[in-house]
Amino acid sequence: MNLWIKNGHLLDPANHRDEICDIYVKDGKVAMTGSLLSDSGPEESDEDVTIIDAAGKYVMPGFLDLHVHLREPGFTYKETIKTGTAAAARGGFTGVCPMPNTKPATDSPEMIRQILAIAERDSDIHVYPVGAVTKGQTGQELTDIAGMVKAGAKAISEDGKSVMDSGLYREAMKEAARAGIPVLAHCEDIHMAGKGAMNAGKKAEELGIPGISNAVEDVIAARDILLAKETGVRLHLCHCSTKDSVSMVRLAKEEGLPVSGEVCPHHFSMTDEDIPADDANYKMNPPLRSSTDVEELRRGLSEGVMEAISTDHAPHGEEEKKKSIAEAPFGIVGSETAYALAVTHLVKKGYLTPMQLVEHMSTNPCRILGVPGGSLAVGMPADITIADMDSEYVIDKNTFVSKGKNTPFHGAKVQGRVFYTIVGGKIVYEYKEETAND
Ligand code: DOR
Ligand code: ZN
Ligand code: ZN
């Protein structure tokens, strides 16, 4: 099947394209882009062509989410590779990186192969598995990093926690550097975090909930940057939530180190003051921070110091999230709300241009992970997201295709809707008004 995407607004930062034009997709690849296509059609004789009217919409290289939890194997009541990738497709993502805190942990070449096999069967989008740093994520013994990379892992991470043994982590970084993959770092000093369940501050005191201070993240972010400097590994800091994380990434870049950072939509959209009550849908790790932190995260994204928007999509069961903030597990879903939150809180508020949004959701994530995509040049795989930045609607968790409904954004008014997600020239998600509840 070939596609003729007509009259869309192409946003392709990798090729400096910002114009209304047509895109012709043939055999899964971008075959032609340009304004002349509209008059005659690329191949009038081509009967097997599907026409997409993209007038009034942006046509962008497909988004890549560097940070999701798909929960398979082990926690399939929360999510599966099938439902999690369908949710990602609905959010405009053509690729995702599932983190290794599955059960068993994704900590061996066999586990990487198993995830890729399930993805091959159940997913319409690209799945780039992330291998664990230590066996069983227990922080004791390194995994077979080279073997996992050979099996298809695109990065390593201990996400869900940090590797607290700096010596062991340094060895892992050396291995990752040798294998040519990045380390995706969850920064949290477990000894300082204690029983903390939300940002340390006035709100935590008001609610009587133990706090997590900024230093819990910052000391490990600093350590990891220093270890990256010593080992030469490419280091990507996950879910940066503090102003000093931004400063440290800025400094590292000024020194020329291969360090990057991601920010999640919840961290740039809300502060801890927005937590209305003891509601675990507002509980995630790292937690919602102060307005000073949020402002710095936005500025970091705006200046390109922070290079990626990722979701940390973390589905949980309804019963689990009915518990109090102190007792419920950390994490919220994010795949189906990320784009609209980025449009609403970053583009519409003047922090990002539409082009920068594409850089943060597509071009930069693909470069950081070292995978194809992030460009719609002729010959590139036709991984495409078509969306607008004007549709206004209210987020309704009951429309989510993710099994997880744990979001603090239910009922939030946003702008920006995904209309099509296309992978290798195949439409894997299409917005249908008549079936939508919003
Ligand atoms: O909020 C979070 N949820 N943070 C993490 O680091 C782990 C994740 C999960 O797996 O639920
Ligand atoms: Zn994490
Ligand atoms: Zn995570």
Side-chain angles (χ1 to χ4, degrees):
M1 185 182 71
N2 300 323
L3 292 176
W4 184 1
I5 303 166
K6 282 188 169 181
N7 293 314
H9 186 148
L10 174 63
L11 288 178
D12 184 3
N15 300 293
H16 311 288
R17 302 281 296 272
D18 183 355
E19 67 204 52
I20 309 286
C21 68
D22 287 6
I23 295 177
Y24 190 62
V25 171
K26 204 171 163 54
D27 304 325
K29 295 203 161 69
V30 177
M32 268 191 258
T33 59
S35 53
L36 287 177
L37 295 179
S38 296
D39 302 330
S40 54
E43 272 179 40
E44 303 232 321
S45 58
D46 186 350
E47 291 188 354
D48 188 23
V49 64
T50 301
I51 291 177
I52 293 178
D53 175 13
K57 300 181 176 75
Y58 290 106
V59 180
M60 303 167 274
F63 303 154
L64 171 62
D65 192 343
L66 290 173
H67 195 141
V68 300
H69 297 271
L70 299 181
R71 307 301 193 201
E72 186 172 358
F75 304 100
T76 50
Y77 67 96
K78 297 179 197 254
E79 194 78 289
T80 62
I81 289 174
K82 192 180 177 82
T83 56
T85 54
R90 182 165 183 259
F93 294 99
T94 55
V96 291
C97 301
M99 287 296 174
N101 58 343
T102 48
K103 198 173 162 190
T106 312
D107 64 355
S108 65
E110 294 70 37
M111 288 296 300
I112 296 287
R113 278 192 285 270
Q114 186 186 330
I115 284 170
L116 285 170
I118 300 170
E120 178 70 30
R121 185 190 70 199
D122 290 349
S123 172
D124 286 332
I125 67 171
H126 304 290
V127 172
Y128 301 115
V130 179
V133 178
T134 69
K135 289 187 182 163
Q137 290 194 275
T138 55
Q140 307 287 316
E141 198 187 332
L142 289 191
T143 53
D144 174 8
I145 295 168
M148 291 194 297
V149 172
K150 228 170 136 198
K154 295 292 180 204
I156 54 165
S157 177
E158 196 82 329
D159 191 55
K161 51 178 109 167
S162 292
V163 179
M164 290 307 297
D165 180 336
S166 307
L168 196 65
Y169 207 24
R170 184 170 61 179
E171 286 314 302
M173 286 189 178
K174 285 184 191 160
E175 279 287 311
R178 263 196 290 274
I181 54 154
V183 172
L184 314 181
H186 169 115
C187 300
E188 177 189 12
D189 186 312
I190 196 75
H191 307 299
M192 277 202 279
K195 289 196 175 350
M198 64 176 282
N199 186 42
K202 221 173 83 223
K203 194 76 184 188
E205 281 165 28
E206 240 174 75
L207 292 169
I209 294 168
I212 301 169
S213 72
N214 282 25
V216 169
E217 174 171 330
D218 297 338
V219 295
I220 300 294
R223 179 201 70 167
D224 289 2
I225 290 170
L226 293 170
L227 289 176
K229 181 173 169 174
E230 194 168 298
T231 58
V233 79
R234 281 188 291 128
L235 176 71
H236 177 73
L237 299 186
C238 297
H239 42 51
C240 295
S241 76
T242 68
K243 68 176 179 24
D244 289 324
S245 281
V246 181
S247 305
M248 287 188 278
V249 172
R250 185 182 282 115
L251 270 178
K253 287 186 164 178
E254 278 168 11
E255 230 189 275
L257 302 176
V259 171
S260 56
E262 70 189 24
V263 185
C264 303
H266 44 273
H267 289 131
F268 63 64
S269 301
M270 277 182 171
T271 73
D272 60 346
E273 289 295 329
D274 293 316
I275 303 175
D278 190 344
D279 177 351
N281 285 316
Y282 291 80
K283 178 178 183 178
M284 73 293 284
N285 192 13
L288 297 175
R289 298 288 190 185
S290 71
S291 54
T292 313
D293 293 304
V294 172
E295 195 51 41
E296 278 307 298
L297 294 173
R298 291 177 175 180
R299 201 159 70 97
L301 284 163
S302 171
E303 292 173 355
V305 171
M306 306 314 278
E307 293 175 73
I309 294 171
S310 70
T311 66
D312 199 3
H313 176 78
H316 290 292
E318 205 179 321
E319 291 303 315
E320 293 166 315
K321 280 300 211 176
K322 269 194 193 145
K323 294 180 183 166
S324 64
I325 289 184
E327 285 169 19
F330 286 102
I332 63 165
V333 290
S335 300
E336 294 170 81
T337 50
Y339 174 72
L341 290 171
V343 170
T344 306
H345 293 284
L346 299 176
V347 178
K348 296 295 178 182
K349 290 179 180 170
Y351 292 95
L352 293 186
T353 62
M355 275 293 245
Q356 282 180 298
L357 178 141
V358 180
E359 281 173 3
H360 290 325
M361 296 192 73
S362 176
T363 322
N364 294 341
C366 289
R367 179 176 38 77
I368 289 165
L369 199 67
V371 296
S375 158
L376 290 180
V378 168
M380 291 299 287
D383 296 348
I384 302 172
T385 303
I386 302 178
D388 76 359
M389 300 198 186
D390 295 317
S391 289
E392 272 190 25
Y393 59 99
V394 171
I395 291 173
D396 179 356
K397 63 181 181 184
N398 301 307
T399 66
F400 291 174
V401 302
S402 167
K403 285 193 186 183
K405 313 294 174 199
N406 47 310
T407 176
F409 295 105
H410 178 66
K413 203 168 147 189
V414 289
Q415 277 180 284
R417 192 191 295 289
V418 174
F419 287 89
Y420 291 92
T421 306
I422 297 163
V423 177
K426 180 179 163 209
I427 299 172
V428 299
Y429 169 75
E430 182 177 356
Y431 173 72
K432 296 221 170 62
E433 204 161 357
E434 59 274 19
T435 58
N437 294 329
D438 52 53

